[in-house]
């Protein structure tokens, strides 16, 4: 239903008027669908309305031309700002989509290699494959409720590669149907030579279409030739902001593993082996019948002897070497000279 | 003469406190905001937005964009902490303002809200480009969406909002946000900009009254309706493609998305612009860090140098500005790195819920000059970049292991030789 409100410049109610829809010019066709239709006045809501439209009033964009005439019974001086008021109106309705199908065509011959029927009201799971010598054809028919061909404002076919690179193509309507043929041979460079899985998405929409749709048709595996060196690189895609800001993976330092030492028992075994010769030496000495008989009996000599051996022991201890060295040479000299004289006496006697 | 100079001195004395009355390290929320309008009627058509700002304590200064006395600085001091530019059709600013001075304003750490509308002048586009935002080149294009509209196909009902409590607050915005204006896209290599309100996959940017002859440049979710940028110095910028998004009409209007059964009494616009203005003027999401504290386990003083394989404890205090006071910051993704050319240790800090983050680890067995580094970047929060240097030395000669069992045979060899010599000296001298 069409309702029109007329007011004065300042917004207040007007006197009785005669409002007429002079023309309803369609944006597409010439001529008017409605001519000089008078609108009825509804006193309750103070609007002029038209409750029924002619049968051939189709979905689409129109420019309504209104004419306001003063009623013959008007007494005051009233002025109308414009003789004809033009208002763009979009008449909406549900558009029917029929015969939607997608096909892969072979090269120049145009023979169909694989063809699938589509239901565009829901997402599909069509799976196609093509190489660069083939073509992709999408076709469908859009009809208004009255059966005329409908040309929507938005008819996009979007191919989205796995690497998020997107390409959009317009589906053109001509004659009775809408069709798009993608010749991959010519599109290879536009597609940046990226082979792989492309998702196919179709979006059809218009201001006068009540059932605008976005349908994920399915995917197509494209096999394109290798990229030559001079070809353009695909554009950089933005990174996902949520992953950009997340915490980083933890790092813990791996300490240098110290060299593997032999087992403690093994070291003790070798200690035993080392000590063995010493014990053998002691046993050997006793076997040889050594004795310490000629230990000097006189006190002075004995003391120096003890000190001498004590000194050797201390030297073996390594500490205070220098002092000991001096001390040792004196004491040692006295002991050894005493021994030498003793043995001399023995020899001479 | 004397009277004049004395009165000037007195007046400047009174002015001094005013000059210090701006945002500071201790109080990061902006105070004085310059609002540039290209039409003074915006004061009344956007009155709800401005009155919510005033009620939160902002000092708004309304000026026409072409006012010849416009100035952001006087005598080297900035007069304002924030700038709102609601002048989409202005070709040239008056006074000393131009895109360069506005870029310097943001570089000094100050915040900006910039809005285009169905028409965006080259000046506005240029300022947006400095922030990494590309408006649609076609000046007659608008965002059209045949699936997510309310009434008119150019009045978009958008609900693809960024998931961030810092930017949009803790309460979820239930109703869609109404938008009518131009589309913009973000430079993909720029990692400082972010889409706050994106268009739906069926949206596109084109002239609604003419047929499309070639595919539009901007389509789908690549279209950003409202974006934000946080610069490296933590200055915040909001760029919107619609001035009507802030208007009273859309703030009060009800929303019903086409094809959806839900009708909302009030659009999400008021909550959206209020929360966004809280974020951009540093009332939320602003962090401050205390100093980094580290010491050996068991000690309290900070050593001048660590030894390899020491056990150390590290802690840092982080506070969050709530709009009025500093509150302890609670998060579970604060991390510290022990860094020398590359991180040797990276650990997540545990929090005691009172703002203190701590952890402990063993110093690696590599020596050199290390840094404790805290580099914190979270969506919507200011970036924290703290570091403290500390050297690490290897073992001293007497800190190595001693008397290891493997050496026992060698000790044995040494001592048996000594003992053997001792016995031999006895025996050789006194044997008869």
């Amino acid at each position: 239903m069409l309702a029109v409100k007329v007011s004065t410049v300042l917004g207040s109610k007007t006197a009785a008027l005669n409002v007429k829809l002079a023309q309803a010019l369609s944006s597409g066709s010439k001529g008017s669908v409605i001519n000089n239709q008078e609108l009825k006045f509804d006193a309750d809501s103070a609007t002029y309305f038209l409750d029924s439209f002619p049968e051939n009033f189709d979905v689409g964009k129109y420019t309504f031309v209104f004419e306001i005439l003063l009623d013959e019974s008007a007494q005051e001086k009233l002025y109308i700002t414009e003789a004809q008021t033009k208002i763009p109106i979009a008449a909406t309705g549900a558009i029917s989509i029929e015969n939607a199908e997608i096909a892969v065509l072979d090269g120049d011959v145009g023979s169909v290699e694989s063809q699938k029927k589509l239901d565009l009201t829901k997402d599909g799971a069509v799976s196609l494959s093509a190489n660069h010598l083939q073509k992709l054809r999408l076709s469908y028919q859009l009809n208004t409720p009255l059966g005329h061909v409908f040309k929507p404002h938005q008819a996009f076919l979007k191919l989205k590669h796995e690497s998020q690179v997107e390409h959009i193509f317009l589906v053109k309507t001509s004659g009775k149907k809408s069709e798009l043929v993608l010749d991959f041979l010519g599109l290879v460079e536009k597609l940046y030579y990226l082979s792989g899985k492309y998702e196919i998405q179709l979006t059809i929409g218009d201001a006068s279409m009540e059932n605008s749709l976005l349908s994920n048709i399915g995917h197509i595996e494209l096999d394109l030739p290798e990229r030559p060196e001079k070809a353009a690189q695909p554009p950089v895609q933005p990174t996902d902001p949520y992953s950009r800001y997340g915490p980083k993976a933890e790092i813990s330092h791996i300490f240098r593993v110290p060299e593997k030492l032999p087992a403690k028992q093994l070291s003790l075994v070798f200690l035993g082996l080392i000590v063995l010769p010493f014990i053998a030496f002691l046993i050997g000495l006793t076997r040889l019948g050594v004795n310490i008989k000629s230990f000097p009996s006189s006190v002075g000599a004995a003391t120096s002897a003890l000190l001498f051996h004590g000194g050797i022991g201390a030297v073996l201890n390594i500490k205070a070497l220098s002092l000991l060295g001096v001390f040792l040479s004196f004491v040692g000299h006295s002991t050894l000279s005493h021994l030498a004289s003793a043995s001399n006496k023995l020899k001479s006697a | 003469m004397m009277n004049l100079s004395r009165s000037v001195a007195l007046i400047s004395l009174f002015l001094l406190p005013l000059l210090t009355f701006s945002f500071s390290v201790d109080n990061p929320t902006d105070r004085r905001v310059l609002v540039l309008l290209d039409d003074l009627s915006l004061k009344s058509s956007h009155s709800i937005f401005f009155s919510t700002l005033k009620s939160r304590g902002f000092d708004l200064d309304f000026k026409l964009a072409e006012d010849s006395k416009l100035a952001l600085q006087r005598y080297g001091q900035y007069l304002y902490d924030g700038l709102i530019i609601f002048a989409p059709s202005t070709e040239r600013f008056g006074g000393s303002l131009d895109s360069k001075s506005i870029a310097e304003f943001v570089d000094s750490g100050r915040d900006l809200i910039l809005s285009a509308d169905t028409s965006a002048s080259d000046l506005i586009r240029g300022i947006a480009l400095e922030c990494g935002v590309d408006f649609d080149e076609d000046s007659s294009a608008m965002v059209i969406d045949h699936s997510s509209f309310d009434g008119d196909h150019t009045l978009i009902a958008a609900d693809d909002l960024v998931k961030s409590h810092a930017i949009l607050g803790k309460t979820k915005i239930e109703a869609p946000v109404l938008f009518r204006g131009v589309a913009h896209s973000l430079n993909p290599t720029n990692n400082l900009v972010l889409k706050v309100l994106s268009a739906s996959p069926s949206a596109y940017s084109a002239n609604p009254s003419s047929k499309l002859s070639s595919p539009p440049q901007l389509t789908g979710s690549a279209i950003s309706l409202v974006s934000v940028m946080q610069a490296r110095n933590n200055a915040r910028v909001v760029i919107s493609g619609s001035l009507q998004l802030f208007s009273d009409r859309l703030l009060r209007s009800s929303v019903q998305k086409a094809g959806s059964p839900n009708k909302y009494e009030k659009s999400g616009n008021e909550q959206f612009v209020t929360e966004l203005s809280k974020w951009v003027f540093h009332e939320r999401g602003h962090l401050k860090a205390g100093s980094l504290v580290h010491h050996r386990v068991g000690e309290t003083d900070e050593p001048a140098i660590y030894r390899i394989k020491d056990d150390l404890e590290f802690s840092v205090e982080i506070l969050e500005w709530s709009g009025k006071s500093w509150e302890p910051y609670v998060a579970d993704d604060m991390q510290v790195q022990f860094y020398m050319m590359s991180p040797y240790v990276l650990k997540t800090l545990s929090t005691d819920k009172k703002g203190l983050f701590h952890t402990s680890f063993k110093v690696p067995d590599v020596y050199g000059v290390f840094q404790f580094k805290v580099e914190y970047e979270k969506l919507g929060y200011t970036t924290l970049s703290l570091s403290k240097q500390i050297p690490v030395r290897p073992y001293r000669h007497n800190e190595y292991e001693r008397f290891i069992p493997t050496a026992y045979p060698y000790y044995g060899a040494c001592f048996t030789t000594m003992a053997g010599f001792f016995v031999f000296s006895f025996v050789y001298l006194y044997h008869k």
Side-chain angles (χ1 to χ4, degrees):
Chain A
M1 194 186 85
L2 174 70
V4 176
K5 210 168 195 161
V6 182
S7 65
T8 64
V9 177
L10 294 170
S12 53
K13 277 175 31 177
T14 63
L17 292 171
N18 202 330
V19 181
K20 204 159 59 167
L21 178 58
Q23 288 185 317
L25 298 161
S26 161
S27 58
S29 56
K30 297 187 258 276
S32 168
V33 184
I34 301 174
N35 282 312
N36 287 325
Q37 184 79 23
E38 195 167 312
L39 292 146
K40 297 197 233 352
F41 181 65
D42 177 19
D44 294 329
S45 53
T47 55
Y48 296 85
F49 66 93
L50 185 69
D51 53 10
S52 65
F53 285 90
E55 299 220 329
N56 59 345
F57 187 69
D58 204 1
V59 165
K61 287 191 194 46
Y62 292 90
T63 311
F64 280 9
V65 181
F66 291 98
E67 271 179 14
I68 305 173
L69 295 167
L70 289 168
D71 213 13
E72 286 88 30
S73 57
Q75 312 248 309
E76 307 136 49
K77 276 209 176 133
L78 291 167
Y79 299 94
I80 299 167
T81 48
E82 278 168 39
Q84 290 188 329
T85 313
K86 293 197 173 81
I87 299 180
I89 299 271
T92 61
I95 305 290
S96 69
I97 307 167
E98 283 145 23
N99 297 335
E101 55 184 32
I102 190 163
V104 173
L105 308 174
D106 254 337
D108 304 317
V109 179
S111 63
V112 175
E113 199 219 294
S114 55
Q115 188 171 2
K116 300 249 168 59
K117 286 227 172 298
L118 301 169
D119 179 8
L120 291 175
T121 52
K122 46 181 194 287
D123 289 348
V126 161
S127 176
L128 297 166
S129 65
N131 60 34
H132 68 284
L133 296 168
Q134 294 174 319
K135 300 181 199 178
L136 180 72
R137 183 183 70 195
L138 171 74
S139 60
Y140 51 84
Q141 282 175 315
L142 292 178
N143 288 322
T144 66
L146 295 180
H148 301 140
V149 169
F150 183 74
K151 282 191 199 164
H153 192 245
Q154 176 192 28
F156 299 155
L157 183 76
K158 185 191 282 199
L159 286 178
K160 185 163 150 173
H161 189 239
E162 304 160 309
S163 64
Q164 312 300 317
V165 177
E166 292 179 347
H167 305 275
I168 302 186
F169 305 95
L170 294 179
V171 182
K172 294 193 174 54
T173 308
S174 60
K176 278 242 171 270
K177 62 180 178 146
S178 311
E179 189 181 67
L180 171 69
V181 176
L182 290 178
D183 185 2
F184 291 124
L185 195 60
L187 287 174
V188 164
E189 211 173 302
K190 184 167 188 285
L191 294 172
Y192 302 109
Y193 295 88
L194 287 170
S195 304
K197 190 166 150 183
Y198 282 81
E199 276 175 25
I200 309 173
Q201 197 184 69
L202 178 65
T203 318
I204 301 175
D206 190 84
S208 29
M209 192 168 155
E210 274 169 19
N211 53 338
S212 306
L213 59 91
L214 188 155
S215 170
N216 291 311
I217 295 175
H219 59 264
I220 177 168
E221 280 280 342
L222 272 184
D223 184 17
L224 301 173
E226 287 284 318
R227 178 187 296 142
E229 281 176 11
K230 281 188 222 148
Q233 292 284 336
V236 179
Q237 296 301 312
T239 52
D240 177 26
Y242 299 115
S243 62
R244 202 196 293 169
Y245 285 105
K248 302 191 189 74
E250 290 214 354
I251 305 172
S252 45
H253 182 75
I254 301 170
F255 287 84
R256 188 183 63 88
V257 178
E259 289 146 12
K260 203 159 170 307
L261 298 171
K264 192 167 179 183
Q265 286 79 8
L266 194 64
S267 307
L268 290 172
V269 163
F270 274 93
L271 178 67
L273 285 175
I274 294 275
V275 172
L276 232 59
F278 176 62
I279 296 170
F281 173 61
L282 289 175
I283 294 168
L285 281 179
T286 48
R287 292 275 293 274
L288 279 171
V290 297
N291 52 55
I292 41 169
K293 276 204 195 125
S294 60
F295 198 83
S297 40
S298 66
V299 181
T303 334
S304 16
L306 279 170
L307 283 171
F308 172 55
H309 291 289
I312 291 178
V315 166
L316 290 171
N317 229 1
I318 302 174
K319 290 191 175 114
L321 245 111
S322 51
L323 288 171
L324 272 172
V326 173
F327 167 68
L328 197 57
S329 48
F330 277 112
V331 173
H333 175 73
S334 103
T335 312
L336 290 168
S337 61
H338 185 262
L339 278 169
S341 64
S343 63
N344 266 350
K345 279 189 208 149
L346 218 62
K347 278 183 191 161
S348 54
Chain B
M1 271 300 272
M2 272 295 285
N3 270 342
L4 185 64
S5 55
R6 206 193 302 171
S7 49
V8 164
L10 272 171
I11 288 168
S12 53
L13 213 69
F14 284 122
L15 275 176
L16 267 175
L18 276 175
L19 285 171
T20 56
F21 196 64
S22 70
F23 79 93
S24 63
V25 174
D26 289 321
N27 191 338
T29 304
D30 295 346
R31 289 285 175 83
R32 300 158 303 169
V33 179
L34 173 63
V35 183
L36 293 178
L37 310 167
D38 59 358
D39 182 357
L40 282 175
S41 66
L42 282 173
K43 263 174 95 167
S44 53
S45 65
H46 290 61
S47 60
I48 301 182
F49 176 60
F50 293 130
S51 65
T52 50
L53 285 178
K54 281 194 197 135
S55 68
R56 297 210 307 269
F58 290 101
D59 186 8
L60 300 178
D61 193 1
F62 294 93
K63 292 241 161 67
L64 272 178
E66 280 149 6
D67 188 339
S68 57
K69 291 205 205 64
L70 281 180
L72 286 173
Q73 294 191 47
R74 192 187 295 147
Y75 312 124
Q77 296 267 16
Y78 276 104
L79 297 166
Y80 303 100
D81 306 320
L83 180 58
I84 299 180
I85 304 183
F86 279 174
S89 56
T90 309
E91 289 289 344
R92 218 174 135 271
F93 289 125
S96 61
L97 247 67
D98 58 359
S99 60
K100 185 161 163 295
S101 64
I102 292 174
E104 280 171 8
F105 185 78
V106 174
D107 276 343
S108 74
R110 286 161 172 80
D111 312 312
L112 170 67
I113 299 183
L114 180 72
S115 180
D117 201 35
T118 46
S119 65
S121 69
D122 285 336
L123 175 66
I124 302 292
R125 278 167 203 271
I127 300 173
L129 202 60
E130 290 264 348
C131 302
V133 163
D134 271 316
F135 278 104
D136 196 351
E137 284 163 358
D138 186 354
S139 53
S140 60
M142 285 176 65
V143 181
I144 307 173
D145 193 336
H146 298 298
S147 310
S148 302
F149 61 93
D150 181 11
D152 176 8
H153 287 240
T154 54
L155 182 64
I156 314 291
D159 48 15
D160 191 356
L161 293 159
V162 74
K163 295 183 197 47
S164 167
H165 287 314
I167 301 179
L168 295 173
K170 289 206 172 60
T171 333
K172 185 167 156 15
I173 301 179
E174 297 286 344
V177 177
L178 291 171
F179 175 99
R180 181 189 276 126
V182 291
H184 61 263
S185 65
L186 301 179
N187 188 340
T189 52
N190 188 330
N191 57 3
L192 300 171
V193 280
L194 192 64
K195 279 192 281 194
V196 169
L197 187 65
S198 322
S200 78
S202 55
Y204 60 105
S205 172
N207 187 344
S209 48
S210 67
K211 287 256 175 234
L212 287 170
S213 55
S214 61
Q217 288 268 24
L218 296 174
T219 57
S221 308
I223 294 180
S224 174
L225 304 174
V226 178
S227 325
V228 297
M229 185 205 44
Q230 185 168 262
R232 290 194 181 90
N233 61 0
N234 296 321
R236 290 172 172 174
V237 177
V238 166
I239 298 184
S240 162
S242 166
L243 188 50
Q244 295 178 35
L245 186 123
F246 297 91
S247 69
D248 291 358
R249 199 163 66 86
L250 289 189
L251 250 65
R252 284 198 275 238
S253 135
S254 62
V255 186
Q256 184 173 20
K257 201 157 134 174
S260 150
N262 300 331
K263 186 173 164 85
Y264 298 92
E265 281 300 315
K266 198 155 180 266
S267 66
N269 288 44
E270 183 163 3
Q271 191 183 354
F272 179 70
V273 302
T274 310
E275 296 297 330
L276 204 58
S277 66
K278 279 188 192 158
W279 179 81
V280 77
F281 291 133
H282 287 268
E283 282 180 65
R284 190 172 51 218
H286 191 99
L287 299 173
K288 173 172 91 158
S291 59
L292 308 176
V293 170
H294 61 91
H295 55 84
R296 281 202 195 89
V297 169
E299 294 175 17
T300 49
D301 287 334
E302 191 180 292
I305 187 167
Y306 279 113
R307 195 207 66 203
I308 60 172
K309 299 195 197 161
D310 261 348
D311 288 304
L312 62 79
E313 274 177 2
F314 172 83
S315 66
V316 62
E317 193 186 11
I318 311 240
L319 300 170
E320 184 183 2
W321 180 246
S322 69
K324 292 177 185 46
S325 60
W326 290 103
E327 304 289 322
Y329 179 59
V330 177
D332 56 1
D333 54 357
M334 188 70 70
Q335 291 178 321
V336 67
Q337 293 179 23
F338 200 55
Y339 179 96
M340 175 167 74
M341 311 290 242
S342 72
Y344 281 78
V345 175
L346 200 158
K347 278 202 93 162
T348 306
L349 296 167
S350 40
T351 171
D352 68 345
K353 305 267 191 288
K354 292 199 195 65
L356 194 69
F357 292 85
H358 59 90
T359 188
S360 62
F361 56 88
K362 215 180 197 21
V363 175
D365 57 357
V366 177
Y367 54 89
V369 177
F370 281 86
Q371 280 178 327
F372 285 103
K373 264 187 156 176
V374 174
E375 307 227 322
Y376 188 64
E377 272 186 348
K378 193 163 175 171
L379 196 63
Y381 285 93
T382 52
T383 49
L384 283 178
S385 194
L386 315 158
S387 75
K388 200 161 199 188
Q389 213 175 58
I390 187 78
V392 170
R393 65 166 175 82
Y395 279 138
R396 279 199 206 98
H397 70 283
N398 61 355
E399 285 171 339
Y400 287 98
E401 287 175 297
R402 301 184 95 167
F403 310 129
I404 45 184
T406 318
Y408 286 173
Y410 301 95
Y411 302 149
C414 208
F415 286 121
T416 50
T417 312
M418 288 200 262
F421 176 64
F422 191 69
V423 166
F424 175 74
S425 65
F426 251 102
V427 162
Y428 184 70
L429 284 174
Y430 304 122
H431 171 68
K432 207 153 180 167

